[in-house]
Amino acid sequence: MVKAVVGANWGDEGKGKITDMLAKDADIIVRFQGGANAGHTIKNNYGKFALHTLPSGVFYDHTTSVIGNGVALNVPIFFNELKSITDKGVPKPKIMISERAQIVMPYHILFDQYEEERLGGKAFGSTKSGIAPFYSDKYAKIGFQVNELFDEAALKEKLKRVIEVKNVLLEHLYHKPLLDADELFATLMEYKDMVAPYVGDVSAFIDKALKEGKTVLLEGQLGTLKDTDHGIYPMVTSSNTLAAYGAVGAGLPPYEIKQIITVCKAYSSAVGGGAFVSELFGDEAEELRRRGGDGGEYGATTGRPRRVGWFDCVASRYGCRLQGTTDVAFTVLDVLGYLDEIPVCVSYEIDGKETKDFPVTHLLEKAKPVFKTLPGWKCDITGIRKYEELPENCRKYIEFIEGEIGYPITMVSNGPSREDIIYR
Ligand code: GDP
């Protein structure tokens, strides 16, 4: 059977930890979208790791880690990451890279930087990993699938054609150095040698595994609110972050996805720009940011301070609905133990009207949060393993939010480690 681990919010909900935990009982873990533009932080018996491209199942030796066709594959980053985990004593993972995955080209990263420079104050706050130029090229049909590395004559010819277009922009729009086809070809040949041992037909591999009764875990990157179609467009990522896309990005039948575990953080955080209705500022924000996550709310890829805010029931209910949630994993709850009382955003006020429906972007920008304040529990809940042993106000917080979002919270995460989990 297939399970998906996806995010309800803006990313950084703790999907890496939940995936790492669930991977214990899975055979195959698949990344199905996105690239090295966001990170998953995982803490386990080998140490603390920031993964960007490798699936969060790489720490077990019974699993196969798969890069699906939907991923933006940055080859050097992928192999550096692989080296960084084996250097720390993690056994070499079994890996498969889809022959249909596309490659992040060195110029995608340059174009990402140049475009953000050109936009200046109007920039998207991109992580400059080349993701937007990569997906633009994929859909413009001038991207490069991994299998194309193995047809050298066709590759050379296509590179020339693509570079012609890129060089016009480089010369006349960005005023930057031009690309050289021979140099790029040489780089791609290095990429070919690196990926060659791992390339395969992922869809056929998963089909066979499912027929053998194996368990496949789809690991999403970012969250619903960063989805290209259903998120806060245009301040979104350039791929679909929904579980539904897992079927496309891994090449499996949609009806095989039986469980959708939507990870939802006990407060809000976001990186990059865009409307953030329940955002906190000043000292209150600074304190939550400092205490947040595991060692503070700072981006796993960029180190940028994350924007933080109170839990947003409107955004999270929407986020869970679009994912098709069967289970909510409610994470990072331990962090809130310092608060006397905890505001929760229960609805938005837009043009004087109150609503619980998550709106389109131009209305979202006008939305003001309507808060309800719940009492805090004022103690450290890490180490608790039974739901009934949580303080009453903590259970009330969980149950209030469960009622507001309308999906069952079946897992509560109260610390960064694998063991810090309470099943309900
Ligand atoms: P992802 O992108 O969704 O995997 O999330 P990130 O890894 O970017 O951010 C989650 C951060 O919170 C990481 O530093 C995790 O180690 C940490 N984390 C995950 N779950 C918990 C939890 O229940 N409590 C605490 N304190 N930290 C957690």
Side-chain angles (χ1 to χ4, degrees):
M1 85 158 196
V2 182
K3 302 178 187 185
V5 178
V6 287
N9 309 121
W10 299 264
D12 307 317
E13 299 94 348
K15 296 174 295 294
K17 178 227 158 122
I18 301 294
T19 306
D20 173 63
M21 195 184 88
L22 296 175
K24 184 166 165 281
D25 301 313
D27 302 290
I28 299 168
I29 294 91
V30 191
R31 281 284 316 268
F32 62 88
Q33 44 85 219
N37 52 327
H40 302 281
T41 315
I42 296 157
K43 209 173 188 176
N44 56 32
N45 47 323
Y46 294 106
K48 190 174 172 181
F49 300 88
L51 299 184
H52 305 283
T53 303
L54 284 171
S56 303
V58 287
F59 300 101
Y60 297 96
D61 48 17
H62 68 276
T63 56
T64 302
S65 297
V66 172
I67 299 296
N69 56 278
V71 170
L73 177 64
N74 182 317
V75 176
I77 288 188
F78 182 87
F79 285 94
N80 281 340
E81 209 164 287
L82 193 58
K83 185 170 178 304
S84 77
I85 67 160
T86 51
D87 282 354
K88 280 198 190 166
V90 178
K92 191 157 189 273
K94 289 190 278 297
I95 284 176
M96 187 169 191
I97 296 174
S98 167
E99 58 198 3
R100 292 177 183 274
Q102 294 205 8
I103 299 163
V104 177
M105 303 289 275
Y107 54 77
H108 287 142
I109 296 161
L110 294 176
F111 274 89
D112 208 349
Q113 291 165 1
Y114 298 161
E115 182 61 8
E116 290 276 298
E117 265 172 50
R118 190 182 74 88
L119 292 172
K122 293 230 160 28
F124 288 96
S126 160
T127 60
K128 304 189 183 71
S129 314
I131 301 303
F134 166 91
Y135 281 105
S136 309
D137 279 2
K138 173 171 172 171
Y139 292 107
K141 298 175 287 187
I142 51 169
F144 292 86
Q145 290 192 337
V146 165
N147 66 78
E148 291 178 71
L149 298 175
F150 298 87
D151 183 350
E152 292 180 23
L155 180 66
K156 255 193 184 141
E157 192 275 322
K158 180 169 162 184
L159 258 183
K160 274 210 190 92
R161 203 159 22 92
V162 173
I163 283 178
E164 238 168 56
V165 182
K166 301 291 170 200
N167 277 345
V168 172
L169 289 172
L170 286 171
E171 186 174 353
H172 298 288
L173 181 65
Y174 298 117
H175 313 292
K176 297 285 183 185
L178 302 190
L179 301 171
D180 178 77
D182 293 334
E183 207 178 293
L184 266 171
F185 182 77
T187 304
L188 291 183
M189 288 302 100
E190 284 171 27
Y191 288 4
K192 181 182 89 169
D193 293 339
M194 289 156 98
V195 299
Y198 307 105
V199 177
D201 182 342
V202 163
S203 173
F205 175 71
I206 294 177
D207 181 57
K208 183 162 172 284
L210 290 176
K211 285 180 176 136
E212 290 165 357
K214 301 234 163 92
T215 299
V216 177
L217 209 55
L218 299 172
E219 180 182 20
Q221 182 218 32
L222 296 166
T224 304
L225 304 173
K226 291 281 186 182
D227 182 85
T228 316
D229 290 74
H230 297 281
I232 52 171
Y233 192 86
M235 300 314 242
V236 292
T237 196
S238 302
S239 66
N240 292 103
T241 56
L242 300 185
Y245 189 75
V248 177
L252 53 85
Y255 56 77
E256 293 286 358
I257 308 174
K258 305 289 187 215
Q259 197 183 8
I260 298 174
I261 299 141
T262 304
V263 185
C264 208
K265 189 147 87 176
Y267 55 93
S268 300
S269 75
V271 280
F276 183 175
V277 178
S278 65
E279 184 167 12
L280 271 169
F281 301 93
D283 293 346
E284 267 186 314
E286 198 38 58
E287 174 141 44
L288 183 53
R289 183 176 303 117
R290 185 171 53 75
R291 292 173 177 269
D294 177 31
E297 290 290 353
Y298 302 94
T301 299
T302 56
R304 288 189 291 190
R306 291 177 185 148
R307 300 161 72 193
V308 294
W310 301 124
F311 189 84
D312 183 337
C313 298
V314 179
S316 301
R317 186 177 53 240
Y318 175 82
C320 287
R321 175 164 67 80
L322 268 296
Q323 291 292 4
T325 305
T326 62
D327 296 73
V328 174
F330 196 55
T331 57
V332 210
L333 185 59
D334 50 301
V335 161
L336 300 182
Y338 72 99
L339 292 157
D340 293 322
E341 40 183 37
I342 313 175
V344 172
C345 172
V346 289
S347 54
Y348 293 167
E349 194 197 300
I350 302 170
D351 293 333
K353 276 203 211 105
E354 209 173 311
T355 178
K356 283 181 180 282
D357 296 328
F358 191 77
V360 293
T361 307
H362 72 99
L363 295 175
L364 184 70
E365 273 155 8
K366 294 201 269 182
K368 294 190 186 67
V370 178
F371 289 112
K372 181 179 160 75
T373 301
L374 302 183
W377 48 90
K378 295 293 283 177
C379 67
D380 183 8
I381 58 163
T382 26
I384 295 178
R385 297 285 175 266
K386 288 201 183 106
Y387 188 71
E388 313 76 67
E389 286 169 16
L390 286 171
E392 189 186 356
N393 282 349
C394 183
R395 280 182 278 132
K396 280 192 174 149
Y397 185 78
I398 297 167
E399 287 156 27
F400 177 79
I401 282 173
E402 183 174 54
E404 287 289 317
I405 62 178
Y407 294 90
I409 295 176
T410 61
M411 288 166 238
V412 176
S413 172
N414 57 342
S417 302
R418 272 180 193 166
E419 306 73 45
D420 297 321
I421 194 82
I422 300 167
Y423 291 96
R424 272 175 92 203

